[in-house]
Structure formats: C-alpha cells, structure tokens
Amino acid sequence: MPIPTLGNPQNTIEILKKYNFSFQKKFGQNFLIDTHVLDKIIAAADITKDDYVLEIGPGIGTMTQYLAAAAGKVTAVEIDKALIPILADTLKDYDNVNIVNQDILKMDIQKLVDEENGGKPVKVVANLPYYITTPIIMGLFESHVPIESITVMVQKEVADRMQVGPGTKDYGALSLAVQYYAQPYIVANVPPNCFMPRPKVGSAVIRLTVHREPPVRVEDEKLMFRMIRASFNQRRKTLANGLKNSAELDLPREIVEESIEELGKGPGVRGETLTLEDFALLSNIIYRKINGQPDNHE
C-alpha cells in the first residue's frame, strides 16, 4: 500500500493545477492540508484493517489515502463530478477504494452497507461542508443504518452545539438529537490555516460513537423530536407556549398544560432547561394522553 502524499500542501497544489480545478462555493469545498490533523482523524476514528469506511466528500482524496492505508475497504462518496477524474488519479494505487459520484443525501446507504459490508456496522469519516453538516449527520442517524461511529470535521461552533447540556446558549435541538443517538467527543480543534482555501471560521473534529441502545426510552421518536424542535423554535417563550403554538404538533392546549404539570417542572419552564430524559418523559406523557393510555411513568 503506497504512503499517502496529499497531506503535503505542495502536492495538493500540484494536483489542483494539473486538473485546472476551481473550488465550488456551492459545495463548500475546503481541502485539508495538515498531516497531523489527518493522523488525528484516523486515530480518533480507530480505523483498522477489519473496518469498512464510508467517507463523505473525499475532495481530491487527501483523507481517502489515509483511510485506504488504514482500513480494509473504503467507499468515498463525492457529489462534484469535476473531482471524479482527480480521485481516479490520486487513488489509482489503492485497490481497496470505491469512488461513487452521488449526493449522499439521496443515496441508499443501507443497500451499500449490505452489499459492501454484509450489513455489519460501518465507520463514517468526513470533512463536511458547513452548510450541510446537520442534514447529513441527522440523515445518517434517522436512517438507522448500522453505523459504529461518525468522525467528522465540522465548524467549531457546530461541534460545541453537539456536545453541550441544558442551560447553555449553544444547547438546542441538534445537541439533543446527537446525544440521543450517540456519545459526542471533541477530538481536536483545527485552525483555518490547515485548509485550502482557508475557511473564515475555526473547525473541530468530533467523534460520535453511536449508542447500541438509545439512553432514554421513547414511545414515539418522531413526536419527541417534533416537541424538541418546537420548544427551541421560540427560545424566549415558555415550553408550554412553544408546544401550543407549534403548527407541526397541533396539540390541544389542555394536554400540553396537563403534561407539563405532570412533568413537575412548573408552568413557566423553558425548553432550554430540559434534559434529554425530561423531553423523553414529557413526550411519553403526551403520547399516552393523545392515545388514551393510562399513565405509568417509566
């Protein structure tokens, strides 16, 4: 297996010149040019020869070379057609890489995992464009595809949001969603000068180790997440008002008020002070009331 070369900025520049590549703003392209950061990502993702890795947004194949050298098999999914010939060149010496020119959000990942890895859990690694980080991560979680961990480079502020708890300004629907599905851990902060072109903001590598079982028991996942979104859509309002005013919930006022009273946090409580456990409990209370089931707090 050849030694990865693209972590060196000079080699990256050479490839871009060779193919006369121009960065696409719409795809949010920032290529990593720091070997220390690349080593950290591979170590954090704990990639071994037994692993099948799904890489999202390989760019010119910088991290793909590192992944290919460490993993058993890699599928790299790239949306930008202009990058496919470059990837074919930079990865030609790695026989364990499969390049797919598709939009990850429209792809049947379960089918890929079944065909390429016999349905066993995969490790996802990505340097994600900032504008699409949340839809991609949430799409992976909600699809319930067998995933062991997701190790991603994201905007620093998004990484912070994923791991904070109640009562902080960064706490919100994303924090709760990520923590319902996984255990977040910030591996490293990455300054703008590690990329080409330089982004305007700092980045961070975060590893999300997917829970085998969610940490809370929920009767209706979709209902809980609709409630979470409703309670953070209007942060300044009380939880009761957030839930009562939400078009996507459409809950009777008395059910909302009775349920919050049962939760025992007081009528003026705000959504941003509730933990994941609180939201799970509240959504189970509401679920039982809507469906006419007896209350049994579990």
Coordinates of all heavy atoms in Angstrom, one line a residue, residues 6-9 32-44 62-63 66 153 187-191 193-194 205:
L6 N -0.9 13.3 -0.1 CA -1.7 14.6 -0.3 C -1.8 15.5 0.9 O -2.3 16.6 0.8 CB -3.1 14.3 -0.9 CG -3.1 13.9 -2.4 CD1 -4.5 13.5 -2.7 CD2 -2.7 15.1 -3.2
G7 N -1.4 15.0 2.1 CA -1.4 15.8 3.2 C -0.4 17.0 3.1 O -0.5 18.0 3.8
N8 N 0.5 16.8 2.2 CA 1.5 17.9 1.9 C 0.9 18.9 1.0 O 0.5 18.6 -0.1 CB 2.7 17.2 1.3 CG 3.8 18.2 0.8 OD1 3.5 19.3 0.5 ND2 5.0 17.7 0.8
P9 N 0.9 20.2 1.4 CA 0.2 21.3 0.6 C 0.7 21.4 -0.8 O 0.0 21.6 -1.7 CB 0.5 22.6 1.4 CG 0.9 22.1 2.8 CD 1.4 20.7 2.7
L32 N -8.2 19.7 3.3 CA -7.3 19.6 4.4 C -5.8 19.5 3.9 O -5.5 18.7 3.0 CB -7.6 18.3 5.2 CG -8.1 18.5 6.6 CD1 -8.4 17.1 7.2 CD2 -7.2 19.2 7.6
I33 N -4.9 20.3 4.5 CA -3.5 20.2 4.1 C -2.6 20.2 5.4 O -1.7 21.0 5.5 CB -3.1 21.4 3.3 CG1 -3.7 22.8 3.8 CG2 -3.6 21.3 1.8 CD1 -3.1 24.0 3.3
D34 N -3.0 19.3 6.3 CA -2.2 19.2 7.5 C -2.1 17.7 7.9 O -3.1 17.1 8.3 CB -2.8 20.0 8.6 CG -2.0 20.1 9.9 OD1 -1.7 19.0 10.4 OD2 -1.6 21.2 10.3
T35 N -0.9 17.2 7.9 CA -0.7 15.7 8.1 C -1.0 15.4 9.6 O -1.6 14.3 9.8 CB 0.7 15.3 7.8 OG1 1.6 16.1 8.5 CG2 1.0 15.4 6.3
H36 N -0.7 16.3 10.5 CA -1.0 16.0 11.9 C -2.5 15.8 12.2 O -3.0 14.9 12.9 CB -0.5 17.1 12.8 CG 1.0 17.3 12.7 ND1 1.9 16.4 13.1 CD2 1.7 18.4 12.3 CE1 3.1 16.8 12.9 NE2 3.0 18.0 12.4
V37 N -3.3 16.7 11.5 CA -4.8 16.6 11.7 C -5.3 15.3 11.1 O -6.1 14.6 11.6 CB -5.5 17.8 11.1 CG1 -7.0 17.7 11.2 CG2 -5.0 19.1 11.8
L38 N -4.7 15.0 9.9 CA -5.2 13.7 9.2 C -4.9 12.5 10.1 O -5.7 11.6 10.3 CB -4.5 13.6 7.9 CG -5.0 14.6 6.8 CD1 -4.0 14.9 5.7 CD2 -6.3 14.0 6.2
D39 N -3.7 12.5 10.7 CA -3.3 11.4 11.6 C -4.3 11.3 12.8 O -4.7 10.2 13.2 CB -1.9 11.6 12.1 CG -0.9 11.2 11.0 OD1 -1.2 10.5 10.1 OD2 0.3 11.8 11.1
K40 N -4.6 12.5 13.3 CA -5.5 12.6 14.5 C -6.9 12.0 14.1 O -7.5 11.3 14.9 CB -5.7 14.0 14.9 CG -4.7 14.4 16.0 CD -5.1 15.8 16.5 CE -4.0 16.3 17.5 NZ -3.9 17.7 17.6
I41 N -7.4 12.3 12.9 CA -8.7 11.8 12.5 C -8.7 10.3 12.4 O -9.6 9.6 12.9 CB -9.1 12.5 11.1 CG1 -9.3 14.0 11.3 CG2 -10.4 11.8 10.6 CD1 -9.6 14.8 10.0
I42 N -7.7 9.8 11.8 CA -7.6 8.3 11.6 C -7.5 7.6 12.9 O -8.2 6.6 13.2 CB -6.4 7.9 10.7 CG1 -6.4 8.6 9.4 CG2 -6.3 6.4 10.5 CD1 -7.6 8.3 8.5
A43 N -6.7 8.2 13.9 CA -6.6 7.6 15.2 C -7.9 7.7 16.0 O -8.3 6.7 16.6 CB -5.5 8.4 16.0
A44 N -8.6 8.9 15.9 CA -9.8 9.1 16.6 C -10.9 8.1 16.1 O -11.7 7.6 16.8 CB -10.3 10.5 16.5
T62 N -7.4 13.4 -0.3 CA -6.4 13.6 0.8 C -6.6 12.6 1.9 O -5.8 11.8 2.2 CB -6.4 15.0 1.3 OG1 -6.3 15.9 0.2 CG2 -5.2 15.2 2.2
M63 N -7.8 12.7 2.5 CA -8.0 11.8 3.7 C -8.3 10.4 3.2 O -8.0 9.4 3.9 CB -9.2 12.4 4.5 CG -9.4 11.6 5.8 SD -10.2 12.7 7.0 CE -11.9 12.9 6.3
Y66 N -5.3 8.3 3.4 CA -5.0 7.9 4.8 C -6.0 6.8 5.2 O -5.6 5.8 5.9 CB -5.2 9.1 5.7 CG -4.0 10.0 5.8 CD1 -3.7 10.8 4.7 CD2 -3.1 10.0 6.9 CE1 -2.6 11.7 4.7 CE2 -2.0 10.9 6.9 CZ -1.7 11.7 5.8 OH -0.6 12.5 5.8
M153 N -15.2 16.3 10.5 CA -14.7 17.7 10.7 C -15.8 18.6 10.4 O -16.5 18.6 9.4 CB -13.6 17.9 9.6 CG -13.1 19.4 9.5 SD -11.8 19.6 10.7 CE -10.5 18.7 10.0
V187 N -12.4 15.8 19.4 CA -11.1 15.2 19.3 C -10.0 16.3 19.3 O -9.0 16.2 19.9 CB -11.0 14.3 18.1 CG1 -9.6 13.7 17.9 CG2 -12.0 13.2 18.2
A188 N -10.3 17.3 18.4 CA -9.3 18.3 18.2 C -9.9 19.6 17.6 O -10.9 19.5 16.8 CB -8.2 17.8 17.2
N189 N -9.4 20.7 18.0 CA -9.8 22.0 17.3 C -8.8 22.2 16.1 O -7.6 21.9 16.3 CB -9.7 23.1 18.3 CG -10.8 23.0 19.3 OD1 -12.0 22.6 19.0 ND2 -10.6 23.4 20.5
V190 N -9.3 22.7 15.0 CA -8.5 22.8 13.8 C -8.6 24.2 13.3 O -9.6 24.7 12.9 CB -8.9 21.8 12.7 CG1 -8.0 21.8 11.5 CG2 -9.0 20.4 13.3
P191 N -7.5 25.0 13.3 CA -7.5 26.3 12.8 C -7.6 26.4 11.3 O -7.3 25.5 10.6 CB -6.1 26.9 13.3 CG -5.3 25.7 13.5 CD -6.1 24.6 13.8
N193 N -5.9 27.7 9.0 CA -4.7 27.6 8.1 C -4.4 26.1 7.8 O -3.4 25.8 7.1 CB -3.5 28.2 8.8 CG -3.1 27.6 10.1 OD1 -3.8 26.8 10.6 ND2 -2.0 28.0 10.6
C194 N -5.2 25.2 8.3 CA -5.0 23.8 8.0 C -5.8 23.4 6.7 O -5.8 22.2 6.3 CB -5.5 22.9 9.1 SG -4.5 23.0 10.6
V205 N -12.7 18.5 15.0 CA -13.0 17.1 14.7 C -13.8 16.6 15.8 O -13.4 16.7 17.0 CB -11.7 16.3 14.5 CG1 -12.0 14.8 14.2 CG2 -10.9 16.8 13.4

